[in-house]
Structures are given as structure tokens and as C-alpha cells.
Amino acid sequence: MKLYGSYTSPYVRHCRIALLETNLPCEFIETIPSDPSNKSPTRKVPYLEDGDIGLSDSSSILRHIREKVGAPYLASVLDLDFFCLTNTLLDSATNVFLFERTDGLKPESSKYLARQAARVEAGLVELEQRELPRPIRGNDGAIRLGCFLAWGRFRKRFDLSPHARLSAFLAECDAWDSFAQTAPPPNA
Ligand SMILES: N[C@@H](CCC(=O)N[C@@H](CS)C(=O)NCC(=O)O)C(=O)O
């Protein structure tokens, strides 16, 4: 298998964690989304090649990785919903970041971006009140949450200090070797 992606993307990180967990052989090919050599039809990362199969979304890539070793992937509707909820917040947070970085546009000057930023803040308040999924290992809802929180910290997108339970959850992720090994390089 070949996984195309960047070391900073939280979506790619989640796939890298699943590959470490399952021990499947996979070559990592560093790719930035806008690279003309990016094979993904979405022009995003991650992208996975496995023989004749090409997968262009972290969700399908994760399912493929888990299925290859006979492990469950978001087995119940509540597992799936938690993953989707967390992923929606991650999509909103990365959109706000990319708009700012690409176009210099901030939530203060865009109603749409303000809505995205408010969604992230409200989502953090909601997650802080929830029973968070455990164990973290092998649990794609939990790992998505860890990747989201760690990305927000890395890109300084939100302040976790008012959220004690989410902060503790992230500390638990940080202490896990597969999570630590996939941390973005500090100067990226
Ligand atoms: N739904 C996709 C989202 C992937 C995604 O948004 N990746 C970002 C990198 S963090 C990207 O490639 N963005 C490029 C762009 O939006 O132009 C997935 O889960 O794989």
C-alpha cells in the first residue's frame, strides 16, 4: 500500500495511527494537497493506493485498513455518529484555518466563516459534557477526537483550558506511543 499525505494533516495522522496499530506494510509518500502529483480526485490528502484500489477519503481508508485485519470500524450507529460529529468540527476548524492562510480571510470578515468558528466552539462545549469513547486504541471515534484536539493545539486554533475533560483526553492520547509517533513536526 501507499499512503499519500502530509505530516501536518489530522486526517492523514489518523490513517497513520491505524497503520501503526495494525502493523500493515505501507509506504508513506509526502504530498501536499495542491501538488500536481497528488493522485486524489478531490485534490486533498490523504489518498491511499492498494493495488487497483484508490481511496480518496480518510473514512474509507480507515475502513479499508481495519477490514484488512478483521478489526471493527465504527461498529454501532452511536460510534459512527460520534465520529461524524467530531469530524464535522474538524472540517469546520480546518476550513477556517485554510481560508485564513490561503485568502487572508478571517471569521470577523465573513459570516460563513464566523458560523464555522462558532460551530467549533459550541462543539467543544458539547464534547466536554459527553462521555468520551474509551478505550482510545482501535476506536476510530476516539482517535478522530484526539487528532482534532491535537491539530487545534498545534495550529493554535482553539483554547482547551476551559475544557478540563477534553484536555485530560488529549493528554491520554499524547501518552500513547502510536499517537506520539505521528505528531506533526514542531516547525511544520
Ligand atoms: N474528508 C476528507 C478531508 C481531507 C482534508 O480536508 N484534507 C486537507 C488537509 S488537512 C486538505 O487536503 N485540504 C486541501 C484543500 O482543502 O484544498 C478526509 O477525511 O480525508
Side-chain angles (χ1 to χ4, degrees):
M1 288 195 288
K2 287 182 181 167
L3 178 68
Y4 297 80
S6 68
Y7 287 108
T8 53
S9 164
Y11 306 93
V12 175
R13 183 178 190 181
H14 191 161
C15 298
R16 291 169 61 219
I17 290 170
L19 285 166
L20 283 173
E21 285 195 289
T22 51
N23 236 345
L24 289 167
C26 185
E27 184 184 352
F28 184 74
I29 299 169
E30 194 172 358
T31 308
I32 53 164
S34 57
D35 193 325
S37 69
N38 183 356
K39 297 184 173 191
S40 175
T42 66
R43 321 303 301 161
K44 292 190 174 198
V45 292
Y47 181 70
L48 184 92
E49 271 178 356
D50 187 7
D52 293 343
I53 299 175
L55 300 174
S56 58
D57 194 281
S58 62
S59 307
S60 51
I61 294 171
L62 289 165
R63 176 166 163 182
H64 186 63
I65 292 171
R66 300 293 184 203
E67 280 185 352
K68 265 177 111 76
V69 298
Y73 172 67
L74 303 174
S76 76
V77 71
L78 289 179
D79 291 341
L80 174 63
D81 191 67
F82 186 86
F83 176 92
C84 293
L85 165 63
T86 309
N87 197 50
T88 295
L89 303 183
L90 176 58
D91 285 343
S92 293
T94 52
N95 270 337
V96 172
F97 172 72
L98 287 173
F99 262 97
E100 189 175 324
R101 199 156 84 161
T102 312
D103 296 325
L105 202 56
K106 293 189 177 194
E108 300 85 72
S109 48
S110 156
K111 281 186 196 160
Y112 180 72
L113 285 182
R115 215 157 77 207
Q116 302 297 317
R119 176 171 292 121
V120 174
E121 289 307 321
L124 289 170
V125 170
E126 164 68 25
L127 288 172
E128 174 70 12
Q129 288 158 13
R130 289 227 181 171
E131 179 127 356
L132 299 176
R134 295 285 196 306
I136 297 171
R137 291 167 195 233
N139 181 334
D140 288 298
I143 299 170
R144 182 62 43 131
L145 176 60
C147 291
F148 164 53
L149 297 176
W151 178 84
R153 175 181 60 189
F154 167 64
R155 291 298 192 198
K156 301 184 174 47
R157 302 316 295 181
F158 42 74
D159 177 18
L160 276 189
S161 57
H163 305 301
R165 294 177 68 235
L166 292 176
S167 299
F169 182 86
L170 181 55
E172 243 183 89
C173 292
D174 287 335
W176 174 28
D177 52 357
S178 300
F179 199 83
Q181 276 177 49
T182 55
N187 300 322

